[in-house]
Amino acid sequence: MNTNKSSGVVSIEHTGSPDVLKYQTTILKEAGEGEVLIAQKSIGVNFVDIFFRNGTFPMEAYPAPIGSEAAGVIEAVGPGVKDFVVGDRVAYPFSVGAYAESRIIPAASLFKLPDDISFDQAAAVLVKGLTAHMLLKQSYGVKAGDIVLIHAMTGGVGTLLSAWARALGAIVIGTVGSATKKELALKRGFEHVVDLQSQDFAEVVNEVTQGKGLDAVYDGTGEATFQKSIELIKAGGSAILYGWLSGMPIINAEEMEQRKIQYVNPALYKYLENREKIALAVTGIFNLVREGILDVQKPTVYALADAAKAHADLESRKTTGSIILKP
């Protein structure tokens, strides 16, 4: 029998600016073989969503679904589902179509949500936390005493990355885009924070490293910061480019090879290639939330219907930390 359940859904009408995101109501089909119906409580917003919206990562057809992570409660279970029942609290990091009030989703995409992890925490931390896991554990294994440069340290990934690197014993130098964001980072206990509007991050790096260079750079900004950052890495260090908000930089492979700099441009879907790896990483992320190392208590919240505004604010760097949508 059809659920006849209506759901508010945001989709990309065509590529472009935030106003191409359209909110409308649709009627859901029933949960099929191996599927469940979930009522979503919190939906994560990630910068990769902007790349899908603006056409950097094109979709096969439009209108197209958007979003990949959310948390909620199972309302109906389709045939063949054995590991979940109605009422289970669940979350998922990788299933396109997350910008929705309710949705039908393969049960294989879901993970049970521990009782002590809230819907908001899960939606705020899963993809960004898994990204931080990839960057700190595989791209370059941060160890105590390392000096690392993290760009956009008060952003969604940057907030988690900075806190985790510090917990591992690294000396963190971070860049931010305004005096307000610098004040926020200083309040979080970071000593070396550079406001790019008024300071030169190279001067700060050279002062902290005493001219010896960085062990690693984590750059999600791209063209505006990457080349200058490369010049600050010591021989044998690592340059990790995981995003390009300001555009894709030109990669001077010859220069990095001469200085034996390890260049890494990691992809989350390749790093977490199977469910077992994802499950282990998710468990680790939730443990870090419990320990207070990854603090996602106060994400910035928008209504689902205001997804376009959330994108506009994220793109213009008005926000700090994680962003979630609420149905």
Side-chain angles (χ1 to χ4, degrees):
M1 183 177 69
N2 197 291
T3 62
N4 290 322
K5 182 179 177 67
S6 64
S7 172
V9 176
V10 173
S11 60
I12 312 169
E13 291 227 310
H14 52 81
T15 59
S17 60
D19 60 11
V20 304
L21 296 178
K22 299 300 180 185
Y23 178 85
Q24 59 188 6
T25 301
T26 188
I27 302 297
L28 299 177
K29 63 182 179 65
E30 64 181 318
E33 181 74 26
E35 295 179 329
V36 302
L37 166 67
I38 62 172
Q40 306 207 126
K41 304 299 184 182
S42 301
I43 301 156
V45 176
N46 295 287
F47 211 91
V48 70
D49 300 348
I50 289 175
F51 288 153
F52 281 109
R53 190 211 72 224
N54 67 19
T56 301
F57 300 152
M59 307 291 280
E60 291 184 3
Y62 296 90
I66 183 171
S68 67
E69 72 172 326
V73 178
I74 294 179
E75 287 195 325
V77 175
V81 175
K82 298 179 180 179
D83 296 330
F84 299 96
V85 297
V86 172
D88 277 351
R89 300 170 73 252
V90 293
Y92 60 90
F94 307 123
S95 182
V96 176
Y99 287 21
E101 181 183 1
S102 299
R103 68 177 298 197
I104 305 292
I105 186 171
S109 299
L110 301 174
F111 295 91
K112 289 185 179 178
L113 193 58
D115 291 340
D116 61 343
I117 302 294
S118 71
F119 296 119
D120 287 3
Q121 287 175 317
V125 79
L126 272 179
V127 169
K128 298 172 189 67
L130 291 171
T131 301
H133 191 284
M134 170 186 71
L135 296 174
L136 293 173
K137 295 297 185 180
Q138 176 165 308
S139 302
Y140 172 76
V142 168
K143 57 190 180 298
D146 282 348
I147 305 178
V148 300
L149 174 62
I150 298 175
H151 289 294
M153 76 180 307
T154 58
V157 173
T159 294
L160 304 183
L161 192 61
S162 300
W164 196 351
R166 179 173 61 182
L168 290 170
I171 298 168
V172 175
I173 305 168
T175 67
V176 296
S178 70
T180 301
K181 290 182 178 181
K182 178 175 180 175
E183 183 180 355
L184 174 62
L186 291 173
K187 285 182 178 178
R188 290 173 174 170
F190 291 98
E191 183 179 353
H192 310 295
V193 185
V194 181
D195 174 7
L196 294 178
Q197 290 186 335
S198 61
Q199 294 177 276
D200 181 350
F201 71 81
E203 291 181 4
V204 176
V205 167
N206 286 327
E207 180 182 343
V208 175
T209 66
Q210 298 182 335
K212 297 177 182 178
L214 297 159
D215 292 287
V217 170
Y218 293 97
D219 194 340
T221 302
E223 187 176 14
T225 53
F226 189 71
Q227 184 54 44
K228 188 174 180 178
S229 300
I230 291 295
E231 297 166 4
L232 300 169
I233 302 172
K234 67 184 182 184
S238 294
I240 302 96
L241 178 69
Y242 68 93
W244 42 92
L245 170 63
S246 63
M248 186 68 183
I250 296 172
I251 306 301
N252 189 334
E254 183 178 350
E255 176 191 359
M256 286 191 275
E257 185 176 342
Q258 287 175 349
R259 296 172 54 206
K260 294 183 171 56
I261 292 174
Q262 305 299 314
Y263 169 65
V264 186
N265 181 210
L268 194 56
Y269 72 92
K270 290 182 179 178
Y271 170 59
L272 297 170
E273 57 193 2
N274 57 54
R275 184 176 173 83
E276 288 74 22
K277 280 191 174 182
I278 298 173
L280 282 172
V282 166
T283 298
I285 295 303
F286 287 158
N287 284 336
L288 291 171
V289 172
R290 290 186 181 100
E291 293 167 15
I293 293 172
L294 301 185
D295 185 2
V296 287
Q297 298 295 330
K298 295 180 180 179
T300 304
V301 179
Y302 296 80
L304 175 61
D306 293 332
K309 177 170 173 50
H311 272 228
D313 289 351
L314 174 59
E315 211 162 1
S316 62
R317 307 188 191 188
K318 290 182 179 179
T319 63
T320 58
S322 296
I323 296 174
I324 60 173
L325 304 175
K326 288 279 200 175

